Structure formats: structure tokens, C-alpha cells
Amino acid sequence: MIKWISGALLAVSLMTFAVPAYAQEAGSATESATESAPASPSAVVVAAQRASSRGAEEAIDKAAAARTLRDYYDMGGWIMHFLVALSIISGAVILERLWGLRRGSVIPRRFLQKLRDHSHRREMKQVLELCASSDNAIARVLRSGLLHFDQGLANMEDAVETSGQHEATVLRRNLPLLAALGNMATMMGLLGTVLGMIEAFELIAKTGTGDARVVASGIFQALITTAAGLMVGLFAIGFHSYLRRKVEVLEIDLEEKSFRMLEDLWVGREQGPRSDTPPAKA
């Protein structure tokens, strides 16, 4: 009896160690068989699709790299013509204002030096002649104030302030137009995008959504006008801010120098003309 029990225990032990080993060998054999087996038709289709997708991406990259500025312009459509026109007009306005707002044309240094010399000598007649013969903003402002010289300092300052407001309006000329051109360029770019999106969705309605590249191509073309409009708008609005700040500085300087010159002339109104050496240039 003891022999039979010992034999049964030995058999159970052998089965405990043998079954896992057999299962491991069977699994290895299955994996090797799977690796050596030919690919299924579905796997072949997936691999072919991936290869086709990679080929399409490479073709798109090559096409994008080969595009020129003319190609992008043609893709933007008729909106690009308006954006080019707006950019040309904006550039012309900017150049005109940069030339007109030169400090030498608004408050010339040579004119101020001559005016200081005559003012130091109390030569009112020469001061009036100099202001009448000069064509710049500060000469016109001073001339309007000197015409009221006999009416008191307060009347002179009122006349200078009124004339200064007129000159400030002249200095700000075309700046509102430049701001409007910048806003129009941005809106025209957005209009081109909306029209392009309408065309893209119309194409989707006709051909369906099977090919996403058709939709992406239409949206890509539509966004070109947005980029172009934003570039023109940023160019115009940026220069508008710069020129407006320049005008503000010139207005303050013009008013300050005009009031100071009139006060100097008013203080020495009762003193006779002087012939001493004029003060050094500040």
C-alpha cells in the first residue's frame, strides 16, 4: 500500500513540472509559426495604405517647397489685387507723412537761431520780416501771434493757440486715411477667407467627404488672403501709431517754443534795440 501511495505522489510531482514546460514550448512554437506564416490580406492593404500616405506627404512637401510668391498670389484669387492696391496706397501715404513731418520742415533750427538773434537785439521789424518770409509751421504760428502784439500778451497767446491747432490739423493730415487703409486690408483678407471657405464647402457638397485633401486644399487657399491682409494691416497700423506719436511730439514742441519766443519779445517791448553780440546757440 505504501508503495502505491509513493508512486502516485511521484507521478503528480512529475506532472506539475512537466505541464508548464510543455505549455511554454507550445507557446514558443506558436509564435515562431506566426512569424513564419505569410501576412494576411488585410495587413498587406494597411501597409500599402501607409506607403501611399507617405508618398502623398512627400509629394505635398515637394510641391510646397517649389511654390513661388507668384503661386501664392494666384492661389489668393481676386482679393489679392485689392490687397496689393491697398499696400501701395498705404506706402505712398507713409512716405508723404515721413517727408512732411521732418523736424527741419516744421521747426527749422536755422530759423530758430535767426529768430533768437533778432529777439535778443529787440529787432521787432526783422522778426516780423523773418516770420513773413519763412514757410514753416512755427513761422506761421509766430506770425499770427505777432499780428496781435499791440493787444497784449493774452491776445497773442490766444492767436498762437488757434494757429497752433490749425497747424496740428495739417500735421495730422492723411493719418486717418492710413488707419482706415490698415483696417480695410484686414477686413479684405477676412472676406477672402470667407469666400474661400464657401467655395471649399460647396466642393464638399458636390464630391463628398471621402478625400480630406480636397477640403484641406480649399481651406489652405482661403487662408492665404487672411495672411496677406494681416501683413498689410499690420504694416499700415504700425506706421500710423509711429506717425501719430511723432505728430504729438511736434505739437508740444511747437507750442512751447512759440509761447517762449512771444514772452521774450513781450518782456523786452519797452527796451530799445540792442547791438551787442547775440547769445550762443542753445
Side-chain angles (χ1 to χ4, degrees), residues 118-119 122-125 127-128 131 141-160 258-271:
H118 294 309
S119 176
R122 315 303 182 194
E123 299 172 348
M124 288 298 302
K125 182 179 179 181
V127 169
L128 288 171
C131 292
V141 171
L142 287 173
R143 185 166 61 244
S144 65
L146 291 173
L147 292 176
H148 299 80
F149 191 80
D150 296 335
Q151 301 176 10
L153 183 60
N155 291 329
M156 283 196 301
E157 290 180 349
D158 291 339
V160 166
S258 299
F259 282 142
R260 184 181 300 174
M261 187 61 63
L262 288 178
E263 289 175 357
D264 292 341
L265 292 172
W266 180 257
V267 169
R269 71 189 184 282
E270 296 181 353
Q271 301 178 8

Side-chain angles (χ1 to χ4, degrees), residues 196-214:
M197 295 290 287
I198 292 173
E199 185 177 353
F201 281 109
E202 184 180 2
L203 186 61
I204 293 174
K206 292 180 180 179
T207 62
T209 58
D211 192 357
R213 286 177 294 181
V214 175

Side-chain angles (χ1 to χ4, degrees), residues 75-144:
M75 293 171 67
W78 59 270
I79 294 290
M80 299 297 290
H81 303 323
F82 287 92
L83 292 177
V84 169
L86 291 175
S87 65
I88 293 174
I89 298 173
S90 299
V93 173
I94 290 169
L95 291 177
E96 187 273 334
R97 282 294 80 201
L98 287 174
W99 179 260
L101 294 177
R102 290 175 298 117
R103 190 176 186 84
S105 64
V106 179
I107 311 175
R109 291 185 178 180
R110 183 174 298 180
F111 171 81
L112 287 179
Q113 185 60 41
K114 292 180 179 180
L115 199 63
R116 290 191 187 101
D117 295 343
H118 294 309
S119 176
H120 179 74
R121 298 190 184 98
R122 315 303 182 194
E123 299 172 348
M124 288 298 302
K125 182 179 179 181
Q126 285 76 5
V127 169
L128 288 171
E129 291 177 354
L130 179 62
C131 292
S133 61
S134 301
D135 186 17
N136 53 69
I138 192 169
R140 290 188 290 268
V141 171
L142 287 173
R143 185 166 61 244
S144 65

Side-chain angles (χ1 to χ4, degrees), residues 147-210:
L147 292 176
H148 299 80
F149 191 80
D150 296 335
Q151 301 176 10
L153 183 60
N155 291 329
M156 283 196 301
E157 290 180 349
D158 291 339
V160 166
E161 185 175 356
T162 302
S163 180
Q165 291 176 357
H166 173 71
E167 292 297 330
T169 303
V170 174
L171 293 177
R172 290 194 296 266
R173 181 181 56 193
N174 290 335
L175 290 185
L177 174 61
L178 185 59
L181 290 172
N183 293 328
M184 287 176 59
T186 305
M187 299 304 293
M188 287 295 293
L190 293 176
L191 175 62
T193 299
V194 172
L195 294 177
M197 295 290 287
I198 292 173
E199 185 177 353
F201 281 109
E202 184 180 2
L203 186 61
I204 293 174
K206 292 180 180 179
T207 62
T209 58

Side-chain angles (χ1 to χ4, degrees), residues 220-243:
F220 172 70
Q221 295 183 17
L223 292 177
I224 289 177
T225 57
T226 301
L230 288 175
M231 285 190 291
V232 177
L234 288 172
F235 174 75
I237 295 175
F239 268 99
H240 173 266
S241 300
Y242 167 74
L243 293 172

